[in-house]
Amino acid sequence: MLLAVDGLTAGYGAAPVLHEVSFSVRSKEIVAVLGANGAGKTTLLRTLCGQLKSQQGQVVFDGVDLRGVKVERMVRHGIAHVPEGRGVVTELTVDENLQLGGLWRKQKPALDGIYDLFPALAQRRRHLGHQLSGGERQMLAIGRALAAEPRLLLLDEPSLGLAPKITAQIMGLLRDLRDRTGLAVLLVEQNVRSALSVADVGLVLSLGRVVTRNNAAALAGDADLRHAYLGF
């Protein structure tokens, strides 16, 4: 077990958004976090990466209790977070953005492997962030996270605002990374069909609580659950 979450309650101020959430993620596993707007999906990722402090519960990563670990140190434990919105430094080049992801490492990150994953970025390595398309900025945000060589990638809404072709490329990349490197992914995604097509497991949230955790194929085939919680 790579990540074990037990009884996690968290939110903003005194009002909890997540209520006693429990689940696990194994190595080489893609877990899709699904649910309607307001279900608590983004709050979950922000809590796991240390941006939000939990009110109660336990988060254990590879045997290490992460309670109280500062957000800037999470990457040293092997957790990288790609927030919603393709947050790249627009004044820096593609190369410089990728190097930021590995700043904490003693050696400079090996960028050739990342450029192999994203050939479009290799062609624009000297371009500034603001010169990239939306799809290229999303690739850059993911690439910067991968430069830290994480064991768990927290990925929030990677398809937001992107063309279906680019979305398919990113989803295929996640599956390839899992198979080749053993990377585990916790994927928040509104495009339920796309997420379930690459995920091993689906975790469904409703109003901050876990409704079910099941094999992705089983969730995709559960018409009652899909209509009730996933909108299709």
Side-chain angles (χ1 to χ4, degrees), residues 2-103:
L2 185 64
L3 175 72
V5 178
D6 184 26
L8 182 65
T9 297
Y12 306 89
V17 174
L18 302 175
H19 304 273
E20 299 183 358
V21 169
S22 299
F23 68 97
S24 60
V25 179
R26 298 180 182 276
S27 297
K28 299 184 179 181
E29 188 173 60
I30 299 176
V31 177
V33 182
L34 308 171
N37 290 335
K41 304 184 299 294
T42 292
T43 299
L44 175 61
L45 294 196
R46 289 176 177 171
T47 305
L48 294 178
C49 77
Q51 287 183 352
L52 288 178
K53 186 177 180 180
S54 62
Q55 297 171 6
Q56 68 179 45
Q58 192 172 44
V59 177
V60 177
F61 181 75
D62 197 22
V64 177
D65 187 345
L66 296 183
R67 286 178 298 181
V69 175
K70 294 181 179 180
V71 61
E72 61 269 19
R73 297 194 65 84
M74 284 293 184
V75 69
R76 298 176 183 268
H77 287 277
I79 299 175
H81 179 215
V82 181
E84 178 184 341
R86 306 175 211 127
V88 302
V89 182
T90 56
E91 296 83 3
L92 298 181
T93 66
V94 169
D95 238 25
E96 291 166 341
N97 266 281
L98 292 177
Q99 289 169 15
L100 279 179
L103 273 183

Side-chain angles (χ1 to χ4, degrees), residues 217-232:
L219 288 181
D222 188 334
D224 291 338
L225 185 141
R226 289 190 285 107
H227 292 322
Y229 297 105
L230 304 179
F232 78 98

Side-chain angles (χ1 to χ4, degrees), residues 78-139:
I79 299 175
H81 179 215
V82 181
E84 178 184 341
R86 306 175 211 127
V88 302
V89 182
T90 56
E91 296 83 3
L92 298 181
T93 66
V94 169
D95 238 25
E96 291 166 341
N97 266 281
L98 292 177
Q99 289 169 15
L100 279 179
L103 273 183
W104 70 275
R105 307 186 67 84
K106 293 181 180 180
Q107 296 180 335
K108 287 186 177 181
L111 301 187
D112 288 346
I114 295 174
Y115 285 128
D116 287 342
L117 292 172
F118 301 107
L121 296 183
Q123 298 172 11
R124 293 163 175 76
R125 58 192 305 163
R126 305 303 178 198
H127 285 62
L128 299 176
H130 68 80
Q131 296 175 307
L132 305 180
S133 68
E136 289 164 349
R137 287 197 296 272
Q138 184 62 275
M139 294 175 189

Side-chain angles (χ1 to χ4, degrees), residues 116-219:
D116 287 342
L117 292 172
F118 301 107
L121 296 183
Q123 298 172 11
R124 293 163 175 76
R125 58 192 305 163
R126 305 303 178 198
H127 285 62
L128 299 176
H130 68 80
Q131 296 175 307
L132 305 180
S133 68
E136 289 164 349
R137 287 197 296 272
Q138 184 62 275
M139 294 175 189
L140 180 55
I142 296 172
R144 186 174 63 185
L146 295 177
E149 299 183 8
R151 298 178 62 196
L152 173 65
L153 180 65
L154 309 177
L155 188 54
D156 196 354
E157 299 287 6
S159 75
L160 188 65
L162 299 184
K165 181 178 179 180
I166 302 299
T167 297
Q169 290 176 358
I170 290 174
M171 294 300 171
L173 170 70
L174 297 181
R175 187 161 44 197
D176 184 50
L177 285 169
R178 176 201 61 193
D179 294 341
R180 290 197 298 110
T181 71
L183 179 71
V185 182
L186 194 59
L187 170 66
V188 166
E189 178 55 66
Q190 280 291 102
N191 189 329
V192 177
R193 288 186 177 89
S194 181
L196 290 177
S197 73
V198 299
D200 302 294
V201 172
L203 181 76
V204 181
L205 295 181
S206 179
L207 300 177
R209 300 181 186 277
V210 176
V211 176
T212 187
R213 182 188 189 278
N214 205 346
N215 177 274
L219 288 181

